[in-house]
Amino acid sequence: MAKISRLSPEQRSDLVAYLDGELEETATRQIEQTLAGSPVARHEVEMLTRTWELLDELPTMKASAEFTQKTLSIMEVPETAPPLSARPWFPQARRGAIVTAWVIGLAIVAWVGFAATNQWVPDPRQQLLEDLPVVEKLDQYSEIGSSVYLRKLSNSGLFNE
Amino acid sequence: MVTGEIQSSSPYLRDPDVQLMLRVRNGDDDAFTQLVTNYQDRLVSIFGHLVHDQTAAEDLAQEVFLRIYRARHGYEATAKFSTWLFRIANNLASNTRRSKGRRKEVQFAQGDSGAMGARPQEQILAEKSGLMPSRQMARTELQALVREALETLNERQRMALLLHKFEGMSYADIGETMEMTTPAVKSLLSRARENLRVKLEQYVR
């Protein structure tokens, strides 16, 4: 005689889904095999079914005769303008605003980065521009040789008019 | 008949209640009256199982319809109408329960002890469970037992169970309504029914 074993939580869950017609085909076949071979499972099915049917004993409330009219009269009370979020165009407008905000933000970040780079990183071409007067007359200055001699010549007053 | 805008990509346009709601969106109040008529009993019934009071159940149902009416301008057919309606109902039930705080314990009616005189409720029930099948139990007593068993479930278990039992919703529909996955609904309903079985098994043997 096969040993009677308790159902696992997964089997119990599958059992309920099986009773509800919500179990996929493979699992259904497995459950049906389990039911065929397990008196515990069959007892479980019977108890689940009978306790489920007890819910039919509960009294069912229905809406009163004046419910419809009362409800409709409440709708007639003037309401404040619907909030923006309730307007049909709101979801698209919000998406557009978010995209625009991102584009503007990225543009600002790019500009700040560009300005910072320009400010702090020295441009080698600028140095060349400053040295251009000297570079243009470099051949003449090379003839002279020493700048010490030039200073002495300048200080001598020889060329003062 | 006022025709709504065609959302050609929505698979829910075949739902007649979605069509009614689209007419409501376009200003057709008769369509809204039809929706109220279609769903008032169902809503009051679900809320009735939760709050056990006709007036409170009707107030909650009215609040659901009010929210639907106020949301009409922005309505889009992104689900079955019933899914959307019961999602509002589920949220409203949760909010109501949170605002009320700790719920009161459900008390058995102590008066109906019959010819044997007053005895502790547990003794009565123990004797009856052994000797008296449910069909012989007074109907009101059985209703009270079932109602108390339902009260022992948590809020989500109870709502899922009510939607499945009294609205005939599939696991997928319940998942959409309660914003859960289908496997999560399966697990939730399994626990709910197991808890129910534990509480009521002795009355069905």
Side-chain angles (χ1 to χ4, degrees), chain A residues 45-102:
Chain A
V45 163
E46 188 183 349
M47 288 300 109
L48 283 169
T49 303
R50 292 171 74 179
T51 53
W52 181 247
E53 287 169 353
L54 279 182
L55 291 175
D56 293 326
E57 296 295 328
L58 289 173
T60 305
M61 273 185 206
K62 286 192 167 188
S64 58
E66 56 274 3
F67 179 86
T68 311
Q69 203 47 51
K70 244 177 32 176
T71 302
L72 295 176
S73 65
I74 291 173
M75 308 305 146
E76 288 170 8
V77 173
E79 57 179 301
T80 52
L84 284 178
S85 57
R87 305 291 176 91
W89 46 261
F90 183 79
Q92 278 181 334
R94 187 173 67 173
R95 279 194 291 272
I98 290 172
V99 168
T100 304
W102 270 103

Side-chain angles (χ1 to χ4, degrees), chain B residues 151-170:
Chain B
E151 287 287 311
T152 64
L153 305 181
N154 69 38
E155 181 187 315
R156 289 165 73 79
Q157 288 175 357
R158 191 159 52 244
M159 180 56 87
L161 195 137
L162 291 173
L163 290 175
H164 187 53
K165 175 68 177 175
F166 297 110
E167 282 297 314
M169 279 193 183
S170 66

Side-chain angles (χ1 to χ4, degrees), chain A residues 11-53:
Chain A
Q11 283 176 316
R12 287 175 186 274
S13 179
D14 281 350
L15 210 53
V16 170
Y18 170 76
L19 290 172
D20 291 340
E22 293 272 357
L23 207 56
E24 56 182 14
E25 198 176 325
T26 310
T28 298
R29 283 199 293 270
Q30 284 175 349
I31 278 292
E32 285 172 347
Q33 281 177 355
T34 303
L35 285 172
S38 167
V40 170
R42 289 197 296 275
H43 175 75
E44 184 83 7
V45 163
E46 188 183 349
M47 288 300 109
L48 283 169
T49 303
R50 292 171 74 179
T51 53
W52 181 247
E53 287 169 353

